[in-house]
Amino acid sequence: MQGQRITPVVIGAAALDDLLDTLRVSGFRVLGPRVRDGAIVYDDLSAASELPIGWTDEQDGGSYRLKRREDGARFGYAVGPHSWKQFLFRPEARLWRARRLPDGELAVEEEPTEDQPMAFIGVRSCELHAIEIQDRVFMGGRHADRDYAARRDGAFLVAVNCITAGGTCFCASMGTGPKADAGYDLALTELLDGEHRFLAESGSERGAAVLAQLPQRPATDADLGAAGKAVAATEAQMGRTLDTDDIRNLLARNLEHPRWDDVAERCLSCGNCTQVCPTCFCSSVEDTSDLSGEVAQRTRVWDTCFSVDYSHIHGGSVRSSTRARYRQWMTHKLGTWIDQFGTSGCVGCGRCITWCPVGIDITEELSAIRATEDDDAQTA
Ligand code: SF4
Ligand code: SF4
């Protein structure tokens, strides 16, 4: 029944604790946003009081600051450095372990998969789209990723429609937000006009079952109107835009554009943009053994197309320059991803812009390339 909705209802801010308790009693590990180390991150949540109450974020290229809001909004921020990717496609995951037996044979132990299902609280629309993209990457082919599939299968997603756009957000341009349209079990819109409340809608049978257990009242036209206005205001506030018109072919036509040299002079090849991106999925494996040589293991770790080693094929790296690595990242994300998976690899969350130490902005880089084609067309 994914996608089937019942009539929206209204729950009070205090019902968030009931929601967390209901999920916990149903066996979920409950994860959500919290303030830690000067940022809003995703971690275990034991009570709604741990949410970032009264906090917002200010974001721009290479800059992120938390700021106090004048209200008690629970979800009055955009997205932070974390994404849900870390719980589904883990930064480090042991794949197997092998032990040498007394008779000299090797016993290979398969790594157990996660048993406890997870509930994600506060999933933004762009993040739902990012999860859908990674579902296709890890589970869409003939060989599903066992660890990802085990974690993803039971996950309960509580979406929150955005009431504040970040300075680097551009989901409206990518058609991925700011309102959640599918892929959630429950969707909430926080309403701060008058009574502090949430418009709540279910998107699945189990979402409806959880919602039925919360104290609630039917939504009025005024509630629905306030929710529509809040999301429309967020769309109008979006910090960035990206013109997606003919984007795949635009990039394919411009593989030798001088802008790649320009961006290479600024890019540090640090890979931050790929680590914070909710859709990037590059990984490598590391084999280690203990000092006695009796136990060995293989571990999968996140990698990045910005590292020289990542594209090392016999004889050396096929992308030895920063120019080649940045071009690979951006043309894959915005262009060839469409050939590979049928959608863009970018959901417009803006994290790569905010967390780039030198403020390189994917929307600006694309516009610079598009602008020269537009100029050429005018002078032709
Ligand atoms: S490329 Fe940048 S804006 Fe697009 S999804 Fe990744 S981090 Fe977000
Ligand atoms: S674009 Fe920015 S974040 Fe990405 S590798 Fe270059 S310097 Fe690092």
Side-chain angles (χ1 to χ4, degrees), residues 266-274 306 326 329 352 355-358 360:
R266 289 171 280 133
C267 176
L268 309 172
S269 263
C270 66
N272 266 19
C273 47
T274 57
F306 281 93
Y326 187 88
W329 177 70
C352 58
W355 297 96
C356 171
V358 290
I360 292 173

Side-chain angles (χ1 to χ4, degrees), residues 126 130 133 168-170 174 272-274 276-280 329 333-334 344-353 362-363:
C126 63
I133 287 172
T168 54
C169 291
F170 56 100
M174 304 309 290
N272 266 19
C273 47
T274 57
V276 294
C277 179
T279 66
C280 278
W329 177 70
K333 189 71 48 185
L334 298 176
S344 173
C346 174
V347 296
C349 72
R351 287 181 177 91
C352 58
I353 306 171
I362 190 171
T363 66

Side-chain angles (χ1 to χ4, degrees), residues 5 83-85 88 123-137 148 152 157 159 161 171-184 277-280 337 341 343-349 351:
R5 294 166 180 78
S83 71
W84 304 103
K85 172 172 97 170
L88 298 171
V123 186
R124 305 302 181 152
S125 178
C126 63
E127 299 183 307
L128 289 171
H129 283 269
I131 291 171
E132 191 189 337
I133 287 172
Q134 288 217 320
D135 286 352
R136 211 167 299 134
V137 171
Y148 182 96
R152 177 68 180 98
L157 306 189
N161 293 320
C171 65
S173 301
M174 304 309 290
T176 55
K179 185 176 189 316
D181 50 11
Y184 56 80
C277 179
T279 66
C280 278
W337 200 297
F341 297 111
T343 67
S344 173
C346 174
V347 296
C349 72
R351 287 181 177 91

Side-chain angles (χ1 to χ4, degrees), residues 78-156:
V79 288
H82 282 185
S83 71
W84 304 103
K85 172 172 97 170
Q86 66 184 311
F87 302 109
L88 298 171
F89 166 48
R90 293 182 289 155
E92 188 175 316
R94 188 161 66 197
L95 301 177
W96 52 259
R97 228 161 75 102
R99 273 184 308 110
R100 195 185 303 280
L101 299 174
D103 62 4
E105 290 294 309
L106 285 180
V108 179
E109 296 164 8
E110 196 172 42
E111 199 57 19
T113 53
E114 181 60 51
D115 284 340
Q116 188 180 14
M118 295 177 285
F120 299 161
I121 311 294
V123 186
R124 305 302 181 152
S125 178
C126 63
E127 299 183 307
L128 289 171
H129 283 269
I131 291 171
E132 191 189 337
I133 287 172
Q134 288 217 320
D135 286 352
R136 211 167 299 134
V137 171
F138 290 112
M139 305 195 300
R142 274 192 297 160
H143 305 288
D145 184 276
R146 185 171 158 268
D147 191 60
Y148 182 96
R151 291 168 162 264
R152 177 68 180 98
D153 275 351
F156 186 99

Side-chain angles (χ1 to χ4, degrees), residues 202-278:
S202 60
S204 68
E205 259 173 41
R206 55 188 197 152
V210 168
L211 188 54
Q213 296 181 58
L214 308 183
Q216 58 186 269
R217 65 166 172 81
T220 63
D221 286 347
D223 297 319
L224 297 173
K229 250 167 78 184
V231 173
T234 307
E235 188 159 345
Q237 247 181 28
M238 206 106 325
R240 301 285 202 274
T241 57
L242 186 136
D243 180 356
T244 57
D245 185 38
D246 196 30
I247 193 167
R248 182 209 168 277
N249 297 331
L250 171 77
L251 288 166
R253 282 193 301 269
N254 284 286
L255 294 178
E256 299 306 327
H257 196 284
R259 187 73 185 188
W260 303 120
D261 293 310
D262 183 285
V263 71
E265 283 186 16
R266 289 171 280 133
C267 176
L268 309 172
S269 263
C270 66
N272 266 19
C273 47
T274 57
Q275 304 298 288
V276 294
C277 179

